[in-house]
Amino acid sequence: MARLWIGNIAPETSDDEVKALLVKYGFPEYDGIERVAGDGTRPAVMVTFAGADAPTLEKFQARMQNLFWKDRRLNVSVMSESRWS
């Protein structure tokens, strides 16, 4: 299992929009999505992939890192289970 952090998303971004973006860039289906508001200036989502490991997600991560989407530059990181458990 691995997680993908997508930071600096637009606050009004829906879960469906995140899903469509991930599919567009080749990611497998995710199993869960959690909103991380922070201080409100750079909202993020943490997306969980139960059927994928960190090396698999890293193959796709570079496609989205620094992507300009919805008037914001995304910050994307892969987190393996050992980094957050």
Side-chain angles (χ1 to χ4, degrees):
M1 178 184 332
R3 289 184 176 181
L4 185 73
W5 172 271
I6 306 172
N8 199 31
I9 64 169
E12 69 280 357
T13 302
S14 71
D15 291 354
D16 288 338
E17 289 173 307
V18 171
K19 182 178 181 177
L21 180 68
L22 292 172
V23 168
K24 178 179 179 178
Y25 285 90
F27 283 86
E29 284 283 325
Y30 65 80
D31 299 291
I33 186 168
E34 176 185 342
R35 298 270 169 181
V36 184
D39 67 3
T41 61
R42 293 190 170 139
V45 292
M46 181 73 77
V47 184
T48 304
F49 297 85
D53 58 10
T56 300
L57 296 184
E58 287 168 354
K59 292 177 184 176
F60 302 107
Q61 179 261 344
R63 298 176 183 178
M64 288 181 50
Q65 177 62 22
N66 291 319
L67 177 71
F68 193 72
W69 184 58
K70 299 181 76 172
D71 296 322
R72 289 173 173 249
R73 187 142 331 261
L74 300 180
N75 183 348
V76 182
S77 299
V78 175
M79 300 179 70
S80 64
E81 188 172 2
S82 63
R83 289 178 64 184
W84 47 266
S85 58

